[in-house]
Amino acid sequence: MTRLPLADWRDFYVMIGTASGAIVGASFIVATLAAGLKDRARMGMRGFVTPTAMHLGSVLVGSAILTVPTLTAVALAILLGAGGLAGMVYSVVVATRIWGMKLDLDDRAFYVVLPILAYAAMAAAAVVERWAVTAALDTLAVALVTILIVGMRNAWDMATFMITRDP
């Protein structure tokens, strides 16, 4: 069993995991604000609020996995590969739900394109980890920070939409 050189990364993952956990809590407030939208609320929840919570939850879970002291290279590859693939599939499902909506280019980038690319990078890091551990850990860090930024931006976007919309 090969142990990974994750000790140097511990503070990094504790920090982004904590940030994602806090923003998940803020997303629940946005979901509460969306509750009064009736029919449009279902599309908003399925297309915007739930995916944002899922992305932030992915960062939280990924960070928790990466702080496990007994994590082996094989376990990391399996967990992150599965998480990356599941995230890609889920992001494609979300994309099919919202692609036909009138969204700005930045909304398309943050709700559709960036999550798919970040989860693909996570899956790629899981594959490459066996041959290039440092490159895999760097790629994984970029992927998780990208997902965190996507979640933060989208939570803010939804909150401002809910606050500024006409009743």
Side-chain angles (χ1 to χ4, degrees):
M1 288 195 307
T2 306
R3 302 242 358 226
L4 293 168
L6 289 172
D8 295 339
W9 289 93
R10 184 168 179 77
D11 290 344
F12 172 80
Y13 286 113
V14 167
M15 182 187 69
I16 67 169
T18 302
S20 66
I23 300 166
V24 165
S27 296
F28 292 141
I29 295 168
V30 173
T32 302
L33 292 172
L37 292 179
K38 303 282 186 230
D39 292 335
R40 288 180 57 203
R42 276 191 226 112
M43 179 52 75
M45 292 296 282
R46 293 179 64 207
F48 301 102
V49 177
T50 302
T52 298
M54 291 294 291
H55 298 324
L56 293 166
S58 295
V59 174
L60 183 60
V61 170
S63 296
I65 289 169
L66 288 158
T67 58
V68 172
T70 58
L71 186 67
T72 64
V74 173
L76 176 67
I78 292 169
L79 291 170
L80 294 179
L85 288 174
M88 279 180 15
V89 169
Y90 180 71
S91 295
V92 168
V93 169
V94 169
T96 61
R97 289 179 185 157
I98 67 172
W99 194 255
M101 301 173 111
K102 291 184 179 183
L103 299 175
D104 296 334
L105 184 60
D106 62 326
D107 285 336
R108 289 191 189 280
F110 279 90
Y111 284 106
V112 176
V113 177
L114 287 174
I116 293 171
L117 293 176
Y119 286 114
M122 186 185 300
V127 171
V128 193
E129 180 271 329
R130 298 298 290 166
W131 301 279
V133 173
T134 302
L137 293 175
D138 290 344
T139 301
L140 179 59
V142 170
L144 288 175
V145 168
T146 299
I147 296 168
L148 177 62
I149 290 169
V150 163
M152 289 177 358
R153 183 263 178 206
N154 292 350
W156 178 254
D157 182 62
M158 290 180 296
T160 56
F161 171 77
M162 296 298 170
I163 292 168
T164 61
R165 70 180 166 85
D166 290 330

